[in-house]
Amino acid sequence: GDSVTQMEGPVTLSEEAFLTINCTYTATGYPSLFWYVQYPGEGLQLLLKATKADDKGSNKGFEATYRKETTSFHLEKGSVQVSDSAVYFCALSDRQGGSEKLVFGKGMKLTVNP
Amino acid sequence: EAGVTQFPSHSVIEKGQTVTLRCDPISGHDNLYWYRRVMGKEIKFLLHFVKESKQDESGMPNNRFLAERTGGTYSTLKVQPAELEDSGVYFCASSQVRQGEQYFGPGTRLTVT
């Protein structure tokens, strides 16, 4: 079945550091790919998405590019802030298979220190 | 506009007891999803409602779990009887259209002792 593998952490960075969170996937069809973020005490929020190969999703300074050849969707940010401290989840939805469910990775907790 | 709400935020029960979780989706969202995150593992899909009908319940772990959505508004997820392995965070999400963005609630943390 479909699956997502991502860096698990936890990771602690200093403010203004560069962030990369690796994510690879396995899917039978042509999935859409997502990054969700969960801030402390809140629900998951969609951070960015990409629906086809070579698409780049971006939001709040974060970027991720859908790489079909490497089945990857790595999340990057050039300069993290304390407010980026959260848990980050990579996910896919293989909608061509008819399912609407999201398949998630295990999540990675990021702490950014001032 | 209010987001997805879930009640309670925390629940601690003993093995063998019954617990009912509630989810109120965003008003007007016909699609409602339940997910669960067991400690240290992935968030896993449980089921999907379209209005009051179960569209996909392939993720429900066993018959101790019963989900309902009477009237196509709020949904409940009952666990009866609860087992230790049911502990985790239960998330609810809703979307306005099929295959649309899913908006998540804050989750209910269930602890079975």
Side-chain angles (χ1 to χ4, degrees), chain A residues 61-76:
Chain A
F62 291 89
E63 292 184 339
T65 301
Y66 189 143
R67 301 288 188 197
K68 187 179 176 188
E69 63 276 14
T70 55
T71 61
S72 64
F73 193 55
H74 305 322
L75 182 69
E76 295 183 338

Side-chain angles (χ1 to χ4, degrees), chain B:
Chain B
E1 179 182 295
V4 177
T5 58
Q6 294 187 243
F7 183 83
S9 56
H10 291 86
S11 180
V12 180
I13 61 172
E14 293 184 353
K15 176 181 172 181
Q17 290 186 322
T18 297
V19 63
T20 300
L21 313 181
R22 173 170 169 146
C23 168
D24 287 76
I26 293 172
S27 178
H29 282 197
D30 287 341
N31 297 273
L32 188 149
Y33 310 81
W34 283 99
Y35 294 85
R36 174 174 75 169
R37 187 185 190 199
V38 173
M39 181 65 72
K41 298 199 173 180
E42 300 88 346
I43 299 172
K44 290 204 169 179
F45 168 82
L46 297 178
L47 86 160
H48 170 209
F49 284 100
V50 177
K51 296 185 179 178
E52 67 275 10
S53 299
K54 294 176 184 175
Q55 181 70 25
D56 179 357
E57 51 184 332
S58 61
M60 293 290 266
N62 53 59
N63 59 10
R64 294 185 295 102
F65 288 75
L66 175 64
E68 295 181 320
R69 193 182 181 197
T70 306
T73 54
Y74 71 91
S75 174
T76 58
L77 180 65
K78 179 189 289 187
V79 185
Q80 179 182 31
E83 299 288 344
L84 298 178
E85 64 264 25
D86 300 332
S87 296
V89 180
Y90 290 77
F91 292 100
C92 175
S94 71
S95 68
Q96 188 171 29
V97 297
R98 298 287 297 269
Q99 301 186 352
E101 179 178 344
Q102 295 184 26
Y103 294 86
F104 282 77
T108 292
R109 180 174 295 279
L110 174 64
T111 302
V112 182
T113 62

Side-chain angles (χ1 to χ4, degrees), chain A residues 38-56:
Chain A
Q38 185 180 22
Y39 298 105
E42 300 183 15
L44 280 77
Q45 300 175 22
L46 179 63
L47 180 59
L48 53 85
K49 67 179 181 182
T51 58
K52 61 182 187 296
D54 299 326
D55 269 2
K56 178 186 283 188

